[in-house]
Amino acid sequence: MDLKKLANALIPGDGLLPPEKYEELFPARNLEKGAEVTRLAPSPTGFIHLGNLYSALADERCAHTTGGVFYLRIEDTDEKRKVDGAVESVIRSLKYFGIKFDEGAEIDSPLNKYGPYYQRRRADIYHAYAKKLIEEGYAYPCFCTAEELDAIRETQTENKQTTGYYGAYAKCRNLSEEQIYKNLADKIPFVIRLKSQGSIENKFTFRDSIKGDITVTENDQDVVILKSDGIPTYHFAHAVDDHLMRTTLVIRGEEWLSSLPVHLELHKVLGFKPPRYAHTSSLMKMDGGNKRKLSKRKDPELSLDYYREAGYYPEAVIKYLMTVLNSNFEEWELKNPGADYREFKFRIDKMGKSGALFDLDKLNDVSKTEISKISEYDCYDFLNGWVNEFGTAADKEHFKDKEYIISILRLIMGVGGKKRRKDIARAEQGIRLMDYFFDDTFTPDRNYRFDKDTVNCVLDGFAAAYDPVDDNQTWFNKLKAVAASAGFAAETSEYKKNPEAFKGSVSDAAEILRIAVTGSANSPDLCTIMGILGGQRSVARLANAKL
Ligand code: GLU
């Protein structure tokens, strides 16, 4: 059979460049030895999940710790699953977590020399390589209908055989030249299939960069490489793209491991040196004592939007993922407190070979620790970012007064103090702690433990004595005097000696003030709070809080 003629009949397009031309157009990258070229290759479905971030972080680390390149390729061959704005959403979501691409779809970069980065825009390239395979006898047209394929599957299932299009079941493998041209003349739709050279009798060992040596069976399936509309399948497109984009390391989910023999065969017949493959284990969670895969349906925390909306500190999510990716990261962090996580020597071969456990409680702890380490200015930026997207109208208004917020943050985070506050894991928790600093969100719970006269005596007395310029000590001395005049012991020791003689100690009197000013019996340093609120507002609160 004249295979060149057949290739032209199946894939006309005279304007197609020969594959050698593409090899020249996309030459080997000029990078240092050992530099990794990695990619994230999502389908633009609009759902960007933790697994994507997990892979992206591994990709990004591998590329950037070796002086390589990390690029974004959009695998949009399935038009039905495409969602508008999905590509921007991938870029935005990953950027939020500090992960940036060096090149690729929608990335403004002088490095963009290996595109187009959308598979839909690469039809000519796939056709050129598919044509080459037909010419060399590695691919052929298949005219089988869906019904015929169903019938084949049924027979195979009945015979307890592997299902698929292979060996004797691959009917169209042996169509005569005459039959093929007749079908084409009759305009019968066809797909292009790989003519597999493999046999299930043969096994080979392959080295996965994460899982190590894996022995697999050769592929013998004549998989579809071009669908009837000329669109490539994932198998074919990713092989061509990873080759022409000069990818050195493919990091992808372990669900692809079973297709690996197909992929390696495709690289072989295409004459490519395959990239190295690293199959990441699935993210798991504990559920009622059992470990199971995170599921889109059951676990909101699978979606990346969840972390943005819930207001986790982005670097905390990344650091937590680093501990899941490389179990020695935690130890490194302990030895290098305050160091940027990017200084850690990430190693793909240190990734877990099976089920990586993702634990929200642990993430909460990491987030609390990270937030407790940042400056009040970084904290403002972080909270303000969240407020702008998810805050209430009141939050948005409050955050316009940056200086005021910073002074509150300094206090509630314990900046400069002996102990930093360590119980804020998410933006909203921090923001709600500030509500009493604003009259419109101040909702006091006036739960005094003393009678009306005592409460009013403390509040009136302190309002009269209070001067916003007082330092901490003067403020406290005034409180002691007011407390004493209302029947409290000015010194705790006095009270302890003779509790019967007093209504309580000075700290009980302070509680009355605290409830009046902050609305609750627990708060950070009250003198500082009143200083932040200002004299007028503080005194007004004392007056309003009387019984
Ligand atoms: N488009 C594939 C997916 O979203 C990419 C797999 C790969 O990284 O090669 O699962």
Side-chain angles (χ1 to χ4, degrees), residues 205-366:
T205 299
F206 152 85
R207 171 151 297 183
D208 185 276
S209 297
I210 295 175
K211 298 192 185 284
D213 284 348
I214 300 176
T215 299
V216 290
T217 304
E218 269 182 15
N219 171 59
D220 71 338
Q221 298 266 349
D222 287 358
V223 293
V224 174
I225 59 172
L226 288 186
K227 294 184 251 183
S228 56
D229 53 5
I231 305 284
T233 54
Y234 165 75
H235 302 311
F236 187 57
H238 103 282
V240 171
D241 293 348
D242 281 328
H243 171 70
L244 289 180
M245 295 180 185
R246 308 294 168 181
T247 313
T248 61
L249 177 63
V250 169
I251 302 174
R252 61 181 182 184
E254 64 189 354
E255 65 277 16
W256 293 110
L257 198 51
S258 57
S259 320
L260 192 82
V262 176
H263 298 161
L264 292 177
E265 182 173 9
L266 279 169
H267 279 284
K268 191 167 169 191
V269 294
L270 283 161
F272 302 157
K273 174 175 184 279
R276 279 155 31 250
Y277 283 92
H279 291 93
T280 59
S281 45
S282 304
L283 288 174
M284 318 281 276
K285 75 182 277 183
M286 289 309 287
D287 186 4
N290 294 319
K291 221 175 172 189
R292 66 160 172 80
K293 254 194 197 174
L294 279 171
S295 116
K296 187 170 169 180
R297 200 168 44 81
K298 291 191 210 151
D299 307 309
E301 72 267 33
L302 185 60
S303 158
L304 273 198
D305 286 342
Y306 172 85
Y307 302 91
R308 253 189 37 233
E309 279 171 39
Y312 281 103
Y313 189 56
E315 193 155 324
V317 177
I318 289 298
K319 282 200 172 172
Y320 177 56
L321 280 181
M322 285 297 291
T323 65
V324 180
L325 284 167
N326 267 189
S327 56
N328 55 331
F329 177 75
E330 225 168 333
E331 194 188 316
W332 173 87
E333 253 220 308
L334 284 173
K335 285 198 193 130
N336 299 276
D340 191 309
Y341 76 87
R342 293 174 188 90
E343 289 167 27
F344 170 74
K345 294 231 170 328
F346 176 77
R347 294 259 311 260
I348 191 87
D349 57 352
K350 283 233 154 68
M351 282 179 69
K353 292 189 188 354
S354 61
L357 196 60
F358 186 82
D359 180 352
L360 265 186
D361 290 339
K362 272 213 164 151
L363 171 62
N364 275 305
D365 289 343
V366 176

Side-chain angles (χ1 to χ4, degrees), residues 367-469:
S367 197
K368 282 176 193 169
T369 311
E370 289 306 307
I371 291 178
S372 80
K373 287 196 277 194
I374 56 178
S375 74
E376 61 274 42
Y377 301 98
D378 285 345
C379 192
Y380 173 83
D381 290 341
F382 161 56
L383 298 180
N384 190 42
W386 186 88
V387 161
N388 282 332
E389 228 179 324
F390 307 106
T392 62
D395 293 336
K396 291 192 172 81
E397 205 45 47
H398 299 164
F399 267 73
K400 284 183 187 160
D401 193 348
K402 182 167 175 177
E403 279 316 304
Y404 189 61
I405 297 276
I406 297 256
S407 58
I408 302 171
L409 283 175
R410 230 171 251 148
L411 172 71
I412 62 173
M413 292 169 69
V415 177
K418 284 196 208 81
K419 250 202 196 151
R420 286 283 301 252
R421 181 169 190 138
K422 266 204 181 155
D423 61 348
I424 305 167
R426 299 182 291 104
E428 199 175 10
Q429 294 169 333
I431 290 159
R432 294 288 73 86
L433 287 176
M434 298 184 183
D435 279 347
Y436 65 83
F437 284 94
F438 301 90
D439 288 340
D440 58 343
T441 45
F442 177 50
T443 45
D445 173 12
R446 300 234 161 89
N447 220 345
Y448 297 117
R449 289 189 289 120
F450 300 94
D451 62 35
K452 179 176 168 181
D453 286 347
T454 309
V455 167
N456 290 353
C457 180
V458 170
L459 295 178
D460 279 338
F462 199 77
Y466 178 65
D467 184 340
V469 301

